[in-house]
Amino acid sequence: MPARDYRQGRFDLRRSAALGNPWLAWALHLAHVTAEARGWQPSTRRAMQRVLVTVLVGYRDGDFIAASAVHAVASRHSTSTNAAAEILDTMGILDEDRPGLFPRWLDAKLDGLAAGLAGEARRWALALHDGGPRTRARAPATAQSYMRAARSALVAWSARYDHLREVTRDDVLAHVAGLYGHERGSAVVALRSLFTWAKKVGVIFRNPAAGIRHGKREHAVWQPLDAAHLAEAVAAATTPQARVCVVLAAVHAARPGAIRALRLDQVDLAGPRLRIAGTSRPMGELTRQVLREWLDYRQRRWPRTANPHLLVSRESALHHGPVSSAFILNLRGLPATLDRLRIDCQLTEAMATGFDPLHLAAVFGISETTAIRYAVNARKLLGPAHQAAAPSSPPAPRSAWENRRPEPL
């Protein structure tokens, strides 16, 4: 149904009862229950009521309400489209007509390719993402990483080919010959997946990537971040939630996913201890200061939210889930990204505690294989002349990064 403007409408809950419209009464009841369970602010409750009144005041049995119309109305009232759509979906009257995120992302990645190659690559990527006959769906991140890895080859081949069946084995070998390390391995895996799918569905007659190996993966030797790189990351953290991201990555080696998943009951400021990704760790004064600052801000900004996660955004405050990945601090373009800060934290600990992989596994909750890799990396950095001077017994489990920070956040 077309969206109606509540501000111009004549229906007013203060003067008219919703009982004459059972669908509207049901929706308002669901909104009230949801608001109580999730701790919505009064302004959020009122905005949600306006959205529901707008789309349901003239509703008739058997109609479906387009999600795009809900989005248009919710945007005018500055409230959550997802929360309104969830209520209508619970009632069974929502028509989800919004394009998914993956198709839109895929359109951008296929832009500039030859029409034939783009069409075949689209079918392959959608088969990875959605699955199909005799094909299981992969995780969205897997489909995206495969498309990224194959895109450079598809761009190069688009200059002279229009179909996958024109690509030869020499073309594939020539492309991967110029790649090294992780980039080469990812490209080989993605291209083998692409051409295996193409042969399976009859797009090509022979698989030009069959039997091509990416070789033994050589791990890079990570270098410690210097003080200037750390200072750049600190300077980029200008908000309370950004400082939480930097400290958890740099002091506790937390991945972005673990930061998003961290819950309030896993933070013990009095202890003081922190439980990240299933591992309990001591909390230094720097971490306590940053977390206390964020918790004070969180309480002032969303005093009623029932979201149990440490980090809360304007959107996630309306439900119980974690914040989106876009809410996590983005340090792209800087040498000290969140992932690089995490690596530096574990590498510094390895160099400070005598290259003991058991100690690293216990402190950071990482696998034995990963812990050994950090220990080997630290030995390569220090060299044989320094190995004899390594301490015979590691100190108590704590991060060395917090001690060597020149300035607090």
Side-chain angles (χ1 to χ4, degrees):
M1 61 176 291
R4 298 173 56 184
D5 190 347
Y6 176 77
R7 291 170 297 182
Q8 297 178 0
R10 297 181 179 179
F11 190 89
D12 190 339
L13 287 176
R14 294 170 297 183
R15 298 183 176 89
S16 305
L19 299 179
N21 186 332
W23 291 94
L24 177 55
W26 184 15
L28 293 175
H29 170 72
L30 291 177
H32 173 75
V33 172
T34 303
E36 289 293 316
R38 300 179 182 179
W40 289 359
Q41 297 276 50
S43 58
T44 304
R45 296 175 183 236
R46 291 192 295 269
M48 185 60 63
Q49 289 174 353
R50 294 188 181 101
V51 171
L52 295 175
V53 166
T54 300
V55 299
L56 287 173
V57 66
Y59 179 81
R60 294 175 297 179
D61 291 357
D63 288 346
F64 284 90
I65 300 175
S68 57
V70 177
H71 173 71
V73 176
S75 298
R76 290 204 302 269
H77 295 292
S78 301
T79 192
S80 170
T81 298
N82 292 334
E86 181 183 346
I87 292 172
L88 298 177
D89 188 51
T90 301
M91 299 169 64
I93 58 175
L94 180 71
D95 177 21
E96 184 55 79
D97 63 338
R98 294 173 294 178
L101 293 177
F102 182 77
R104 283 183 287 172
W105 176 88
L106 186 58
D107 287 339
K109 291 299 177 183
L110 296 176
D111 185 39
L113 300 185
L117 287 175
E120 292 154 358
R122 173 185 291 279
R123 291 174 56 198
W124 164 64
L126 291 176
L128 286 174
H129 186 268
D130 302 329
R134 299 180 298 166
T135 303
R136 64 180 179 86
R138 304 293 187 91
T142 301
Q144 290 179 329
S145 65
Y146 276 32
M147 187 64 225
R148 290 192 194 98
R151 188 179 187 279
S152 60
L154 294 171
V155 171
W157 295 334
S158 291
R160 56 185 187 276
Y161 301 140
D162 193 51
H163 298 283
L164 280 181
R165 59 177 173 269
E166 300 177 73
V167 179
T168 66
R169 185 176 183 84
D170 289 340
D171 292 324
V172 178
L173 291 173
H175 176 74
V176 300
L179 306 177
Y180 300 93
H182 176 72
E183 186 180 7
R184 174 188 172 91
S186 299
V188 170
V189 171
L191 292 176
R192 285 195 310 206
S193 171
L194 170 62
F195 286 108
T196 299
W197 167 86
K199 188 173 186 302
K200 181 179 179 180
V201 299
V203 172
I204 61 176
F205 302 104
R206 175 178 292 184
N207 185 347
I212 296 180
R213 299 181 180 276
H214 51 71
K216 182 180 179 181
R217 181 179 178 182
E218 296 293 337
H219 294 294
V221 178
W222 294 310
Q223 301 296 319
L225 293 171
D226 57 35
H229 294 159
L230 294 173
E232 289 178 349
V234 172
T238 58
T239 61
Q241 66 266 28
R243 287 188 278 273
V244 170
C245 294
V246 168
V247 165
L248 292 182
V251 179
H252 300 278
R255 295 180 179 272
I259 296 175
R260 294 171 56 208
L262 189 62
R263 301 167 70 93
L264 290 171
D265 58 4
Q266 296 171 328
V267 177
D268 181 9
L269 293 178
R273 297 195 70 84
L274 191 66
R275 188 170 186 84
I276 302 179
T279 303
S280 179
R281 303 169 189 174
M283 187 190 308
E285 184 56 34
L286 172 65
T287 305
R288 292 180 64 190
Q289 173 188 339
V290 171
L291 289 181
R292 188 181 296 112
E293 176 191 2
W294 162 253
L295 290 172
D296 290 342
Y297 172 81
R298 184 185 192 274
Q299 176 61 26
R300 293 193 306 270
R301 181 67 178 80
W302 299 285
R304 298 173 180 268
T305 182
N307 193 305
H309 291 85
L310 173 68
L311 291 183
V312 175
S313 66
R314 177 180 177 181
E315 178 68 26
S316 71
L318 303 180
H319 55 78
H320 295 156
V323 296
S324 67
S325 57
F327 185 77
I328 299 297
L329 177 64
N330 184 354
L331 293 174
R332 290 179 183 175
L334 297 181
T337 62
L338 286 185
D339 195 52
R340 194 64 183 82
L341 288 171
R342 174 185 61 82
I343 293 173
D344 185 70
C345 175
Q346 296 175 129
L347 183 59
T348 302
E349 189 77 16
M351 291 189 294
T353 57
F355 326 114
D356 185 358
L358 295 179
H359 170 76
L360 296 176
V363 170
F364 298 112
I366 56 180
S367 67
E368 292 85 351
T369 302
T370 303
I372 291 173
R373 181 183 174 192
Y374 278 103
V376 171
N377 194 125
R379 285 183 180 274
K380 289 180 179 179
L381 286 176
L382 294 182
H386 296 79
Q387 292 181 19
S392 57
S393 59
R398 60 194 304 264
S399 173
W401 189 87
E402 190 162 337
N403 289 332
R404 67 181 179 90
R405 283 301 313 282
E407 295 287 343
L409 287 176

